[in-house]
Amino acid sequence: MLDEIAALYGYPQYLRIDNGSELTSKAMLEWSAEHNVELLFIQPGKPTQNAYIESFNARVRDELLNANWFTTLAEARAMGAQWMHRYNTEHSHSSLGYHTPEEFLALYETTPPPQESVAA
C-alpha cells in the first residue's frame, strides 16, 4: 500500500509512526531502508505525539469497525472503501476549516511531488 501511495505522491523523507507490531516489523524496516524513508517512532505511551492519526484511528473504530459486522475480507474492504469515500467527500473536518478534504484540496493549486517516485 505504501508503494501505491508513493507511486502517486512520491516517497516521503520520513514517516511518524507508533510502535505497533505492524510498523516495527522487519518488512517495514526493510521497506524504509530500500526507499530512503526515515521512520520516526513516537515515544511509547505518548499517543499525543501522533495526535492526528490517533484521532483518525478513533473515528475509523467508531464509525466503521465498531458499527459494522464483516463476514468476509472482501466485504470489509468494500465497506472500508465506502467509508473512506464519505470521509473525504461528505464529512467536514474542523481542522480543515469545516471543509471536506476534497473541498480543502480544491482551494489550493496542486503540483506534482518534488521528488520522482521510484515506485512507478
Side-chain angles (χ1 to χ4, degrees):
M1 181 58 73
L2 292 172
D3 287 327
E4 289 177 25
I5 294 168
L8 294 173
Y9 303 105
Y11 288 94
Q13 286 183 302
Y14 63 89
L15 288 177
R16 177 168 302 282
I17 55 179
D18 66 21
N19 294 282
S21 58
E22 68 279 6
L23 300 172
T24 58
S25 68
K26 182 179 177 184
M28 187 68 178
L29 296 173
E30 288 174 353
W31 178 88
S32 68
E34 284 176 22
H35 302 293
N36 199 28
V37 175
E38 182 180 0
L39 300 179
L40 301 176
F41 293 95
I42 66 170
Q43 292 174 297
K46 303 275 187 172
T48 55
Q49 292 178 347
N50 208 12
Y52 291 114
I53 197 62
E54 294 297 333
S55 174
F56 176 76
N57 286 345
R59 186 171 299 279
V60 170
R61 173 120 349 249
D62 290 345
E63 296 177 6
L64 177 66
L65 301 177
N66 290 345
N68 297 286
W69 184 267
F70 307 111
T71 57
T72 66
L73 182 56
E75 180 184 19
R77 286 180 174 158
M79 291 182 82
Q82 290 170 359
W83 179 87
M84 186 172 62
H85 177 75
R86 284 191 311 274
Y87 181 84
N88 287 323
T89 61
E90 298 173 17
H91 175 70
S92 62
H93 300 256
S94 60
S95 63
L96 302 177
Y98 294 95
H99 294 289
T100 68
E102 189 175 75
E103 292 168 339
F104 185 78
L105 184 60
L107 296 173
Y108 299 94
E109 180 181 342
T110 57
T111 58
Q115 59 197 56
E116 186 172 319
S117 171
V118 294

